Amino acid sequence: MDKALDLVEAVSRAPRPPRLTDLAGEVGLHRATAYRILVDLVRRGWVLRTGDRYLPGTAVLRLSVRAAHNSLTSLARPVLEDLSARTGLMVNLQVLENDGSRVVDVVRPDHLAMISTLLGEALPAHRFAGPLALVAALAPEARGPYLDAARKAGHPLDGDTGLLADIERTRAAGFAVEHGRNEQFVASLSRAVVPAPGAPVCAVTVVGPDAEIDAPRMLGLRADLASAADVLGGLLSGTSGAGDA
């Protein structure tokens, strides 16, 4: 069991989907032994095999969603409340699912009651900033399901307005920006939280009227959002005390 958990953890924290040799070396197993354990992990859904590389499986994603409703939201709540108070905007927390993200917590100021919280809803990367930030933080090999969801919805992948260009802009900037794509006159700015090399754990997103997330405010909003994401990342990695939030 220890070795199986070692392999699941190694797959989850790898900056790029690892090969069998990488995993066997990292956990100190013979290749044949590591392969036999990985076969069982793939069968049970804890690991997904794509070609000769391995990714976190759907069982990990399901467990992550359940954990998000408990320990993650409890840990993140003070960070969300502080960011909302500083910006005057709605702030939400999202986690990745199979083909998008899910909003697991929201702090909404009273004056923004007209904007839907989308709490509990699943969001696709081609329409929302939160899942876009998360997908852009994934290794390219892990983005397939999110690209497929956009393709099935009829959203273009290529060209300047396609999802691939949006992902690249987000990856380069470290922030995802969305203006009115899902709801007219509503904009959002999101940043993925990646506490250690590997896949993102969650995304923090500020949402508000389009006029309040404009060019003059963008620099300040990015600074506030980056600070909040760094605090949350520190809490998740154990390098920051809860009082820092």
Side-chain angles (χ1 to χ4, degrees):
M1 182 177 291
D2 283 344
K3 292 304 182 183
L5 290 173
D6 287 344
L7 285 167
V8 171
E9 291 173 354
V11 170
S12 297
R13 66 172 173 260
R16 293 174 60 84
R19 294 186 172 93
L20 173 61
T21 301
D22 304 324
L23 292 170
E26 182 168 348
V27 303
L29 288 175
H30 189 277
R31 277 174 50 96
T33 302
Y35 178 76
R36 285 197 298 272
I37 297 173
L38 284 166
V39 168
D40 286 336
L41 290 172
V42 169
R43 178 176 57 82
R44 295 290 297 270
W46 289 99
V47 172
L48 172 67
R49 182 174 180 179
T50 303
D52 63 347
R53 294 183 180 271
Y54 294 87
L55 299 167
T58 56
V60 174
L61 293 173
R62 289 195 298 269
L63 183 63
S64 297
V65 171
R66 293 190 184 97
H69 288 279
N70 297 293
S71 56
L72 178 57
T73 53
S74 297
L75 198 64
R77 185 71 182 190
V79 179
L80 304 186
E81 290 175 343
D82 179 69
L83 181 58
S84 180
R86 280 189 283 135
T87 62
L89 298 172
M90 182 164 67
V91 179
N92 71 46
L93 183 71
Q94 300 179 37
V95 294
L96 267 177
E97 291 196 344
N98 291 341
D99 56 4
S101 70
R102 189 170 299 274
V103 179
V104 296
D105 199 13
V106 179
V107 175
R108 181 177 63 180
D110 291 341
H111 71 278
L112 295 182
M114 78 293 292
I115 299 178
S116 172
T117 65
L118 301 178
L119 182 62
E121 295 194 25
L123 312 179
H126 58 280
R127 289 176 55 196
F128 294 88
L132 178 58
L134 288 164
V135 171
L138 292 172
E141 298 89 343
R143 296 171 182 164
Y146 310 98
L147 300 178
D148 289 342
R151 186 184 296 108
K152 290 176 183 176
H155 187 83
L157 298 186
D158 301 313
D160 191 56
T161 61
L163 181 55
L164 290 172
D166 286 340
I167 289 172
E168 180 54 31
R169 282 190 287 266
T170 299
R171 186 203 62 78
F175 298 89
V177 184
E178 185 274 321
H179 288 277
R181 183 171 290 176
N182 180 66
E183 186 175 347
Q184 194 175 16
F185 307 123
V186 174
S188 54
L189 175 70
S190 187
R191 185 172 176 87
V193 178
V194 188
V201 172
C202 56
V204 178
T205 306
V206 293
V207 183
D210 192 78
E212 295 186 31
I213 305 182
D214 56 4
R217 284 200 70 187
M218 189 60 71
L219 188 61
L221 288 175
R222 286 191 177 200
D224 287 337
L225 180 55
S227 176
D230 287 346
V231 169
L232 183 52
L235 291 170
L236 290 169
S237 64
T239 61
S240 174
D244 293 341

